Amino acid sequence: MVANQITKSHFPLAVHFANPEQQVEAGKLGMWLFLATEILLFGGLFVAYAIFHHLHPELFKAAHRFLDVKLGAINTVVLLFSSLTVVLAIHAAQKNKTHLIVLNLVITLVCAGTFLVIKYFEYTHKFHAGLLPGYFFTNATVPSPDQAHVFFGIYFMMTGLHGLHVVIGMIVLLWLLVRALKGQFGEQYYLPLELGGLYWHLVDVIWIFLFPLLYLIR
Amino acid sequence: MVANHLEEEESYLTSKKGIASWLFTLDHKRIGIMYLASIMFFFLVGGLFAILLRVELWTAGDTIVKAKQYNQLFTLHGAIMVFLVIIPGIPASLGNFVLPLQLGAKDVAFPRLNLMSYYIYVIGAIVALSSLLVGAVDTGWTFYTPYSITTDGGVVVMVMAAFILGFSSILTGVNFISTVHKLRAPGMTWFRMPLFIWGIYATAIIQIMATPVLAITLLLLVIERVVKVGIFDPQLGGDPVLFQHFFWFYSHPAVYIMILPGMAVISELITTFSQKRIFGYKPIAYSSIAIAIISFLVWGHHMFVSGQSELVGMIFSALTFLVAIPSGVKMFNWAATMYQGSVSLATPMLWAMGFFLLFAIGGLTGCFLGTLSVDVHLHDTYFVVAHFHYVMVGGTFMAFMGGIFYWWPKITGKMYNEKMGVWSVILVVLGFNLTFFVQFIMGAQGMPRRYYHYLDQFQIYHQISTVGSFLLGFGFLFSIITLLVSLKYGKKAPPNPWHAATFEWTETASPPIEHNFHHQPISTKGPYEYDQIA
Ligand SMILES: [Cu+2]
């Protein structure tokens, strides 16, 4: 444990980098490129959304009323707040306050968990009501039920893929938490926190697009 | 002086021993070799399927297999060759080995990510082959809906394999772009980089911009098949043509993921073996980027007869012709480089000459197919098959082989037998033309692709093509044997056998030490100043 105290703010420079600055810049560039690919991945779904919305505008308007705007709004707030706590964790690292890094990461993780729990309740409600994609759609109260499944297909694919990203984000946060507890982050070295934070912001930003597109049509 | 000093330390091949030192290596050179071996293995597997296809086409109707197996064979051939061989191909193997060396770097930016992308590739390959256990796929490598959501067999498994392989491709792209931006040697400005790096860089841009779209498309296809979500399935209100749009939005740029690295290799070969500074460095560099950009605007030329509007067809047709401009810029600059150079026809240069011939034919027939009215007649015929193979095998694969023969002394420290090398090229070029040139003729006469049966009038063409495919297969086997024989009997390679001017030749031994260079190389001039080599 004493060793950890000593190496606390030590920068683990990899052999193939000339200096810490180069390593930090390369790491950030790599992360931004990866985030670009994530946006393009969701981009395919946004295009599909646009096309089917264009084909069935009335249907989208009618079907979206079956989503719970209140729960969606709460989740939006929860995720926005968690983006703030990730930033606070990085600030804590810059000031060498390990306990604050840990606290902020824990709060972020709790927010992520809350998001998933709320999503779970939303999903189970839809399962019971038969508001499901394509073939499994059984709800008769939706207007034009023979086509409404298209909306729910898109809803489940977009929120499902996003949910998967929340889970991956939680794994990343957990890994950061373990490293923070070992005292590996400090003013000299907090690159992984920054990279993990960038990823978490992406998860947040995508939800900020999903929420109005799915829950607040017109 | 440099050479003697470099002898002292052990090379990357011998510095660490044991199988684990390979499986868990973070050395870009070893990872490059593991990729090369895997890619060559799958090339032989895919090639075996190709030979079986050609044998089946020796006679009309059943020759060795039934119609259904024929469909499975061409699907396997296509999927393996595209996703496991040509897309990773040059970037993952030669790119991994050469890129950091040419930049004067000790490794790629993210060595662990590099190893991870190799294992993702391996997992993808295993998943692809395991589709055979569920039932071989018969959709063709394009997985067109609605057939791919109704046919039996392991479509889901094969599509997931392509999805996983896409991830490997994305991670390689991210790694290379970061490396080029952040790990260039002191003094190496963008316009002092070897053109190989420009080509690999442009490829990496396409890899990260196009592959995610393929990923989501394949994911949607899997979901469509498993839970019938109604995106592509017309019976559930979906749009099957949307799949084609999504698929080609990736797969047309993917064609440039395949050909740009080939062009990148050719730039190195032409200038080194002409011993003359490359003509038009900047146009060649920019044309790689131009091809990368235009490649995203032409996907509709695959869908001229899929019910898209005439106007859209005309626009895509016109945009397609734009690709010919940067490709032509490269061809003419290479030709101008050779003009009045001291050209030596060593094996790598002969591969480059083969590329020149075959890629010219492949590229120009691409213009035929990009012409709206002509394509209506030629689409889905053997003309397309021939065009595609001229570009992908005649272009990319010839360049790949040229690159392997060029960097082989650096990779292994051995020189291969030059005579055998020359014969490999001759066999491949002859076999290739015999196989595919007749396919232009029968395609123009109306022989449709993907049919195991044909009219009697086409038999002579099919038989010539089959004979050619045996010669071609033998040629490739002979090239691989030439290389493998050199491992045991080859002479020791000097650090710079070709009198090349880039860092991997001038600044380190053959094979290089584990961390590439004893001293950080510093760039003080362009990459092709042959009269200034010490
Ligand atoms: Cu195309």
Side-chain angles (χ1 to χ4, degrees):
Chain A
M1 295 306 105
V2 177
N4 281 339
Q5 291 306 316
I6 293 166
T7 57
K8 184 168 180 174
S9 53
H10 165 76
F11 190 97
L13 184 67
V15 283
H16 59 294
F17 287 110
N19 49 52
E21 196 190 336
Q22 193 184 32
Q23 184 168 343
V24 169
E25 280 182 12
K28 282 191 191 166
L29 176 64
M31 195 64 198
W32 278 109
L33 291 169
F34 179 71
L35 295 188
T37 70
E38 290 277 22
I39 289 168
L40 285 160
L41 182 78
F42 278 94
L45 285 178
F46 284 119
V47 169
Y49 174 93
I51 289 170
F52 285 98
H53 188 199
H54 174 74
L55 288 175
H56 319 278
E58 293 306 315
L59 177 88
F60 269 54
K61 232 186 272 176
H64 96 278
R65 299 215 171 85
F66 288 75
L67 303 183
D68 194 326
V69 181
K70 215 181 285 167
L71 290 181
I74 294 173
N75 259 348
T76 310
V77 174
V78 167
L79 274 193
L80 276 174
F81 182 69
S82 73
S83 255
L84 174 71
T85 51
V86 160
V87 175
L88 290 177
I90 298 169
H91 274 282
Q94 287 165 338
K95 292 191 174 117
N96 267 331
K97 290 180 178 156
T98 302
H99 64 284
L100 269 183
I101 307 176
V102 171
L103 178 69
N104 277 302
L105 286 178
V106 169
I107 296 175
T108 314
L109 271 165
V110 170
C111 288
T114 311
F115 178 89
L116 286 181
V117 170
I118 291 177
K119 207 82 220 138
Y120 168 79
F121 283 118
E122 281 192 75
Y123 273 10
T124 40
H125 169 256
K126 305 240 162 15
F127 274 71
H128 289 308
L131 294 164
L132 289 167
Y135 189 69
F136 300 98
F137 187 86
T138 51
N139 191 305
T141 60
V142 180
S144 62
D146 55 323
Q147 296 209 304
H149 65 82
V150 173
F151 176 80
F152 289 97
I154 286 174
Y155 166 80
F156 273 101
M157 281 186 298
M158 291 182 114
T159 55
L161 191 65
H162 177 261
L164 186 68
H165 279 75
V166 174
V167 174
I168 295 168
M170 287 178 78
I171 295 170
V172 173
L173 289 167
L174 213 57
W175 170 72
L176 290 173
L177 182 62
V178 171
R179 291 190 65 176
L181 284 169
K182 285 185 188 163
Q184 289 179 358
F185 301 133
E187 58 178 339
Q188 295 291 322
Y189 183 63
Y190 50 89
L191 177 63
L193 277 176
E194 282 191 296
L195 300 185
L198 278 176
Y199 183 81
W200 190 250
H201 292 322
L202 174 91
V203 173
D204 189 12
V205 166
I206 288 172
W207 177 258
I208 291 189
F209 280 96
L210 289 184
F211 176 60
L213 282 179
L214 293 168
Y215 291 75
L216 305 176
I217 299 172
R218 288 289 150 94
Chain B
M1 181 206 96
V2 175
N4 286 338
H5 176 60
L6 295 173
E7 301 293 327
E8 293 158 18
E9 198 172 328
E10 283 204 77
S11 80
Y12 77 102
L13 290 169
T14 49
S15 61
K16 291 196 178 99
K17 293 190 176 58
I19 186 88
S21 77
W22 280 86
L23 293 180
F24 300 108
T25 183
L26 298 180
D27 182 347
H28 68 98
K29 300 184 286 304
R30 286 188 168 201
I31 293 172
I33 289 184
M34 296 201 292
Y35 262 120
L36 185 61
S38 317
I39 287 164
M40 279 299 152
F41 170 76
F42 287 110
F43 173 65
L44 292 178
V45 175
L48 180 70
F49 287 127
I51 293 285
L52 290 174
L53 288 169
R54 288 311 322 167
V55 172
E56 166 54 37
L57 290 167
W58 185 255
T59 62
D62 293 0
T63 308
I64 51 169
V65 293
K66 299 246 184 301
K68 172 93 177 167
Q69 281 96 47
Y70 180 81
N71 292 356
Q72 295 169 336
L73 280 175
F74 74 63
T75 303
L76 279 165
H77 166 69
I80 288 176
M81 287 302 204
V82 169
F83 294 114
L84 287 170
V85 180
I86 301 193
I87 286 184
I90 296 174
S93 60
L94 295 177
N96 242 323
F97 191 96
V98 174
L99 182 114
L101 285 168
Q102 282 195 336
L103 285 173
K106 288 191 188 125
D107 208 320
V108 291
F110 314 115
R112 259 178 295 177
L113 195 69
N114 201 17
L115 183 67
M116 190 167 111
S117 75
Y118 173 72
Y119 281 109
I120 295 175
Y121 170 83
V122 172
I123 293 168
I126 293 170
V127 174
L129 292 183
S130 63
S131 74
L132 288 172
L133 302 176
V134 191
V137 183
D138 65 347
T139 59
W141 73 277
T142 47
F143 310 119
Y144 267 23
T145 54
Y147 185 66
S148 57
I149 39 184
T150 51
T151 180
D152 57 350
V155 177
V156 169
V157 182
M158 186 56 108
V159 168
M160 280 316 289
F163 177 83
I164 295 167
L165 290 165
F167 256 91
S168 168
S169 187
I170 287 175
L171 295 181
T172 305
V174 167
N175 218 336
F176 285 180
I177 293 182
S178 308
T179 309
V180 171
H181 274 271
K182 299 297 173 194
L183 287 179
R184 299 195 306 277
M188 183 168 287
T189 56
W190 282 84
F191 292 112
R192 281 184 189 161
M193 292 196 310
L195 286 166
F196 179 72
I197 294 178
W198 274 99
I200 296 290
Y201 179 77
T203 309
I205 290 176
I206 308 180
Q207 278 175 308
I208 66 162
M209 285 184 62
T211 318
V213 179
L214 176 76
I216 195 69
T217 309
L218 296 178
L219 205 60
L220 288 176
L221 179 58
V222 169
I223 293 172
E224 184 72 274
R225 238 186 108 95
V226 177
V227 296
K228 303 198 170 38
V229 80
I231 283 272
F232 300 134
D233 187 347
Q235 285 184 327
L236 291 168
D239 183 358
V241 179
L242 181 62
F243 177 84
Q244 293 186 25
H245 277 289
F246 274 169
F247 184 83
W248 288 114
F249 183 81
Y250 163 77
S251 292
H252 186 84
V255 173
Y256 297 99
I257 295 178
M258 307 183 217
I259 192 69
L260 272 174
M263 295 167 156
V265 171
I266 296 298
S267 295
E268 296 296 310
L269 300 186
I270 297 277
T271 167
T272 300
F273 291 96
S274 302
Q275 285 295 301
K276 192 178 144 215
R277 192 189 308 153
I278 194 128
F279 185 87
Y281 174 96
K282 281 193 182 178
I284 295 183
Y286 284 134
S287 66
S288 292
I289 305 295
I291 288 177
I293 294 167
I294 299 171
S295 73
F296 284 96
L297 308 173
V298 300
W299 78 90
H301 64 209
H302 294 271
M303 299 163 62
F304 285 155
V305 294
S306 297
Q308 83 192 351
S309 80
E310 251 172 67
L311 176 67
V312 172
M314 277 153 64
I315 293 169
F316 275 122
S317 178
L319 286 169
T320 299
F321 284 111
L322 287 182
V323 182
I325 298 171
S327 309
V329 164
K330 283 182 194 285
M331 294 290 272
F332 286 114
N333 278 306
W334 291 328
T337 304
M338 287 187 286
Y339 178 68
Q340 290 195 338
S342 29
V343 177
S344 87
L345 292 176
T347 307
M349 186 60 161
L350 286 177
W351 286 110
M353 295 294 96
F355 170 98
F356 237 72
L357 173 71
L358 303 180
F359 179 73
I361 298 174
L364 289 172
T365 50
C367 293
F368 297 15
L369 291 169
T371 311
L372 194 50
S373 52
V374 179
D375 185 71
V376 171
H377 176 69
L378 291 176
H379 88 101
D380 262 353
T381 67
Y382 264 77
F383 195 92
V384 178
V385 178
H387 156 70
F388 190 71
H389 283 83
Y390 264 85
V391 178
M392 290 297 117
V393 185
T396 305
F397 220 82
M398 295 292 286
F400 193 11
M401 295 306 283
I404 295 172
F405 275 82
Y406 176 60
W407 279 296
W408 190 258
K410 185 55 63 179
I411 295 172
T412 63
K414 300 285 186 176
M415 300 300 289
Y416 48 83
N417 182 310
E418 183 65 23
K419 252 188 210 147
M420 284 174 77
V422 171
W423 272 106
S424 334
V425 186
I426 294 172
L427 287 170
V428 167
V429 172
L430 282 180
F432 181 86
N433 280 303
L434 205 54
T435 312
F436 291 105
F437 198 81
V438 285
Q439 295 189 0
F440 281 126
I441 301 170
M442 64 173 145
Q445 291 180 358
M447 172 73 211
R449 68 181 183 145
R450 293 182 170 177
Y451 275 46
Y452 96 128
H453 191 57
Y454 51 79
L455 299 175
D456 287 341
Q457 69 191 83
F458 295 118
Q459 185 162 35
I460 180 69
Y461 301 121
H462 275 298
Q463 293 192 339
I464 293 172
S465 185
T466 303
V467 171
S469 70
F470 274 86
L471 189 60
L472 178 59
F474 177 70
F476 276 127
L477 274 182
F478 190 79
S479 340
I480 293 172
I481 290 168
T482 303
L483 293 171
L484 293 181
V485 163
S486 79
L487 289 180
K488 194 153 164 51
Y489 302 103
K491 275 195 237 115
K492 193 178 171 349
N496 189 1
W498 316 121
H499 199 259
T502 41
F503 281 165
E504 80 275 29
W505 300 107
T506 57
E507 299 290 327
T508 187
S510 301
I513 59 168
E514 194 183 352
H515 289 300
N516 294 353
F517 307 103
H518 278 284
H519 304 289
Q520 172 65 56
I522 291 167
S523 176
T524 53
K525 55 184 187 301
Y528 306 116
E529 306 292 333
Y530 296 99
D531 47 351
Q532 293 178 38
I533 302 171

